[in-house]
Amino acid sequence: FQLSPSQINDILRAGELSHKIMDLNGKNENSVLRFESNQLASNAPIEDRRSAATCLQTKGMMFGVFDGHAGSACAQAVSERLLHYIAVSLMSRQTLEEIELAVECMKPVLPILQWHKHPNDVEYREITSQYFENLRVYWQHLLDLDTESGFSLEEAMICAFKRLDSDISLEVQAPQENELMRNIALQVAFSGATACVAHVDGVHLHVANTGDCRAVLGVHEEDGTWSTLPLTRDHNAFDEFEIRRLKREHPRSEEKTLFVNDRLLGILMPSRAFGDVQLKWSKELQHSVLENSCDVEALNIYQYVPPNYHTPPYLTAEPEVTYHKLRSKDKFLVIASDGLWEMLSNEKVVKLVAGHLTELNVQKPQLAFEKPVNLGYMHNLLLQRKNRGVASLDQNIATHLIRHAIGSNEYGEVDQEKLAAMLTLPEDLARMYRDDITITVVYFNSETIDNY
């Protein structure tokens, strides 16, 4: 079980993704400077997913983190589809008409998103055409609405989340000849996923959150200190608003059974999620869908009615949307699945990112040597770096956060032995010590934001 530092680095860095924003003439007029992302599995295979894309027909960039449960199927589908639904919701009537006309005439369709993917990011290629058909039905619905003004960004995000969840639910109810498609639809609907998506356009930052992923802003105050601005609430049994919301939606006789052992109906930690139709459909609908579409094995897996199941739905995919107008002191946004937040507080995460930024700047000679620098100062820096025990600084901030999340001792320092132990836990044990962790950190361009 002894891993060398380079083996530890290989494991930690396998999922790294980073992307620098540049326009054609090498400048960056975008309010996003770059983003860095990584994930580390605890489940085998990993149940988390992530997405990042530039919107080509509307302005803006989108970043999403999706935390699956009961398998990865729902998180996979949502990571492939949700950003498309949001982008379509934001399009002008004219653009939607152009795209519809192109599909009708079987001509090439305007590209909607430019994806920024990791080579290991999987795709359900077999079902892409069906997903596209259902997206088309959605934009036809938007055209039928006949609203000239279109949606606000908040409305677009809420509408996209709810519509995709509704489509996931309908796809598994539709008769399906193809057995593979039928099985995928079943797995997607009966597993679940929480989602947190940020949309950045100029100084306008919107974050839509369903469940217990989290988005936190790192703010560099004028006095040089760093502060933390949370942009989401965790939707679970520890949130007063969620408890009150669910109590409002169900009879008083169920007040005691809505949350049991801090879980929704004693089963689910998050109180909002995609999929999980066994907490949304009536017992009769669940039974008829499973009987009509399943082999016996699937019936055994999915046919589970929770105790005290009287007035569904108990679960919603409707997100809470937060708007924040970016200021030049807002330096970065961290979006991550709860695997990170279980290990590190918001403040600790912001502190680690801020410290990493400072260290990276120290490493760049052109920044370090602008002022006259004495040898004592340089010697000190080298000693500090040597004492950290990490041979080389992680270039990717998400990797740096994962390293601290699973390897920190009680003093907040990375303990190489603990890190090695956490990375070599057998599959069946790993889940007891840590969850899947997925992180995307978006760095903002203060100069561009100032110019706005």
Side-chain angles (χ1 to χ4, degrees):
F1 289 122
Q2 276 311 304
L3 294 177
S4 70
S6 68
Q7 286 172 313
I8 288 175
N9 286 344
D10 288 346
I11 296 170
L12 288 179
R13 292 172 181 171
E16 285 186 347
L17 169 68
S18 57
H19 181 79
K20 200 167 184 181
I21 315 300
M22 285 295 202
D23 61 16
L24 294 172
N25 47 20
K27 290 202 186 82
N28 180 4
E29 303 296 321
N30 200 310
S31 54
V32 174
L33 205 52
R34 65 182 192 281
F35 75 88
E36 294 172 2
S37 177
N38 198 355
Q39 43 185 183
L40 180 71
S42 154
N43 294 291
I46 188 168
E47 293 181 343
D48 280 7
R49 292 291 185 272
R50 59 185 168 178
S51 298
T54 301
C55 305
L56 296 174
Q57 304 308 324
T58 58
K59 295 205 306 253
M61 289 187 77
M62 288 192 278
F63 306 92
V65 167
F66 312 95
D67 185 350
H69 45 261
S72 61
C74 188
Q76 175 64 40
V78 174
S79 72
E80 283 184 46
R81 304 175 70 183
L82 182 57
L83 303 196
H84 271 121
Y85 276 64
I86 296 171
V88 162
S89 309
L90 289 171
M91 281 180 198
S92 67
R93 184 170 187 83
Q94 185 187 343
T95 310
L96 288 175
E97 283 169 351
E98 283 171 26
I99 290 180
E100 175 58 25
L101 189 64
V103 177
E104 272 177 31
C105 305
M106 297 176 82
K107 288 183 175 163
V109 177
L110 286 170
I112 296 172
L113 296 172
Q114 178 194 345
W115 290 98
H116 309 295
K117 286 183 183 276
H118 186 276
N120 298 352
D121 288 349
V122 276
E123 254 185 286
Y124 281 165
R125 292 212 177 276
E126 310 80 5
I127 205 164
T128 308
S129 59
Q130 171 162 1
Y131 285 170
F132 182 78
E133 276 310 305
N134 290 348
L135 181 68
R136 184 186 177 191
V137 172
Y138 176 44
W139 79 56
Q140 288 171 338
H141 162 72
L142 293 175
L143 283 169
D144 289 344
L145 286 179
D146 208 30
T147 50
E148 275 313 307
S149 57
F151 286 142
S152 71
L153 227 147
E154 179 175 351
E155 290 166 341
M157 290 178 106
I158 292 172
C159 193
F161 271 63
K162 288 166 76 171
R163 176 65 182 224
L164 175 56
D165 193 51
S166 160
D167 282 358
I168 286 169
S169 176
L170 291 170
E171 282 157 13
V172 68
Q173 295 174 52
Q176 183 65 265
E177 293 303 309
N178 180 321
E179 194 180 343
L180 175 73
M181 303 281 228
R182 194 167 65 223
N183 285 339
I184 289 177
L186 270 168
Q187 286 171 18
V188 170
F190 279 86
S191 63
T194 63
C196 185
V197 176
H199 181 283
V200 188
D201 175 12
V203 290
H204 305 297
L205 167 62
H206 289 80
V207 177
N209 183 51
T210 285
D212 52 10
C213 293
R214 207 180 281 177
V216 171
L217 203 58
V219 184
H220 199 197
E221 302 293 353
E222 282 160 20
D223 62 1
T225 59
W226 285 88
S227 66
T228 306
L229 183 63
L231 296 177
T232 54
R233 275 189 310 120
D234 297 353
H235 297 135
N236 56 29
F238 304 105
D239 185 87
E240 281 298 317
F241 292 99
E242 283 300 280
I243 295 170
R244 285 210 291 273
R245 176 182 69 80
L246 275 149
K247 283 182 176 175
R248 274 199 309 274
E249 291 172 7
H250 298 277
R252 286 193 69 169
S253 56
E254 292 186 55
E255 278 190 5
K256 296 271 192 294
T257 55
L258 283 173
F259 288 101
V260 178
N261 299 329
D262 296 326
R263 288 172 178 262
L264 185 62
L265 297 187
I267 296 166
L268 196 62
M269 279 297 279
S271 56
R272 302 191 193 199
F274 284 90
D276 288 317
V277 291
Q278 62 274 43
L279 292 173
K280 293 173 180 171
W281 291 355
S282 68
K283 294 177 194 175
E284 295 72 32
L285 178 57
Q286 291 183 48
H287 199 72
S288 72
V289 166
L290 288 170
E291 288 217 314
N292 292 337
S293 65
C294 277
D295 46 29
V296 178
E297 186 192 8
L299 254 175
N300 294 339
I301 297 170
Y302 298 128
Q303 199 168 24
Y304 169 71
V305 178
N308 303 303
Y309 196 76
H310 308 299
T311 53
Y314 290 92
L315 196 62
T316 176
E318 180 169 341
E320 258 189 316
V321 180
T322 308
Y323 170 70
H324 177 78
K325 188 173 181 181
L326 290 169
R327 309 154 296 182
S328 55
K329 64 180 183 174
D330 299 323
K331 299 299 180 189
F332 56 81
L333 175 72
V334 183
I335 311 171
S337 57
D338 66 340
L340 177 70
W341 310 111
E342 283 166 5
M343 302 292 207
L344 298 173
S345 68
N346 294 0
E347 291 72 22
K348 181 68 179 168
V349 166
V350 166
K351 196 175 167 185
L352 283 167
V353 180
H356 189 262
L357 267 177
T358 310
E359 284 191 18
L360 278 182
N361 288 342
V362 165
Q363 276 200 342
K364 294 178 190 163
Q366 76 271 21
L367 289 176
F369 300 122
E370 274 172 8
K371 308 182 190 74
V373 172
N374 63 31
L375 277 173
Y377 172 76
M378 289 307 293
H379 180 66
N380 232 347
L381 279 180
L382 290 169
L383 273 179
Q384 278 175 13
R385 196 168 305 154
K386 197 174 167 193
N387 290 341
R388 284 202 183 88
V390 179
S392 63
L393 182 66
D394 288 311
Q395 290 302 307
N396 186 305
I397 183 58
T399 309
H400 185 66
L401 288 172
I402 292 171
R403 192 185 293 275
H404 277 266
I406 64 169
S408 282
N409 59 21
E410 63 267 39
Y411 307 111
E413 292 157 355
V414 174
D415 177 334
Q416 291 296 95
E417 281 183 17
K418 182 181 178 189
L419 194 54
M422 288 290 267
L423 290 174
T424 49
L425 287 167
E427 275 172 23
D428 48 345
L429 272 182
R431 191 64 194 83
M432 295 166 70
Y433 289 91
R434 58 183 178 85
D435 196 354
D436 295 333
I437 300 176
T438 298
I439 306 167
T440 296
V441 180
V442 182
Y443 289 101
F444 297 116
N445 188 341
S446 303
E447 281 179 34
T448 310
I449 289 168
D450 254 348
N451 293 338
Y452 276 98

